[in-house]
Amino acid sequence: MDLILWRHAEAEAHAAEGDHEGDLRRALTPKGRRHAARVGAWLQRQLPDDVRVLSSPARRCVQTVEALGRNYKLVDSLAPDASAEAIIEAAGWPGQRQPVLVVGHQPLLGQVASMVLCGGKQDWRIRKAGVFWITHKNSDGLPYVKLVVGPDFIGQLR
């Protein structure tokens, strides 16, 4: 199984602490839209045809995933107030055969990566619009990092 974690691109500033509904309505900035388009086009070429695409319902995540141009499912357990454990469960890691792309938030995606790779929750940083690709196909049964890349470097990849 491949687990691809894609952090939403740059969004508008958060207006008020504790305003959950306002946080969910935050949109991408012009820079965020450019980065989402760049990473989305690159991912479109890299992802297997049968990948399941799951997204947080937050507007910035929806705008990011729409740049991919594939069908996706909104999953409440990927929202900013979710847990890394809930994201892992929604993805079906590691038992799901089908690859999964999760579009979500920090620090949750970094915590998912650390839990999957190291067995413990740590606040690993994934850059805005960055991709952290983990695979679980090797003979020893251990997951490994296939790719970690940010939006600036993707522009240099062919």
Side-chain angles (χ1 to χ4, degrees):
M1 171 186 187
D2 283 356
L3 176 62
I4 304 108
L5 307 172
W6 185 14
R7 183 178 177 192
H8 67 76
E10 182 181 274
E12 298 168 339
H14 192 237
E17 194 65 36
D19 179 13
H20 178 70
E21 290 303 315
D23 182 46
L24 291 176
R25 290 191 301 268
R26 292 172 46 215
L28 295 181
T29 64
K31 177 182 176 181
R33 288 191 297 275
R34 285 191 308 274
H35 282 179
R38 180 183 303 151
V39 176
W42 179 82
L43 277 170
Q44 176 63 9
R45 295 188 305 272
Q46 306 305 315
L47 291 171
D49 292 336
D50 66 339
V51 68
R52 287 186 313 130
V53 181
L54 308 176
S55 176
S56 162
R59 182 177 180 196
R60 59 196 179 274
C61 290
V62 171
Q63 290 176 314
T64 298
V65 76
E66 286 178 346
L68 181 63
R70 292 194 186 201
N71 292 331
Y72 60 91
K73 180 179 179 182
L74 295 180
V75 179
D76 288 337
S77 61
L78 304 181
D81 61 349
S83 69
E85 294 85 356
I87 294 171
I88 291 169
E89 183 177 331
W93 177 270
Q96 180 71 246
R97 288 181 177 236
Q98 199 174 8
V100 178
L101 170 66
V102 174
V103 181
H105 309 272
Q106 274 298 99
L108 294 171
L109 294 181
Q111 292 171 357
V112 167
S114 72
M115 288 179 69
V116 164
L117 292 167
C118 301
K121 191 185 297 186
Q122 299 177 27
D123 288 335
W124 291 1
R125 296 197 60 187
I126 298 175
R127 183 166 180 209
K128 290 177 183 168
V131 175
F132 199 117
W133 195 317
I134 303 166
T135 194
H136 192 257
K137 294 181 184 172
N138 49 344
S139 61
D140 62 10
L142 297 173
Y144 65 92
V145 176
K146 185 172 182 177
L147 173 82
V148 178
V149 67
D152 295 334
F153 189 71
I154 281 179
Q156 301 170 27
L157 296 176
R158 298 283 171 199

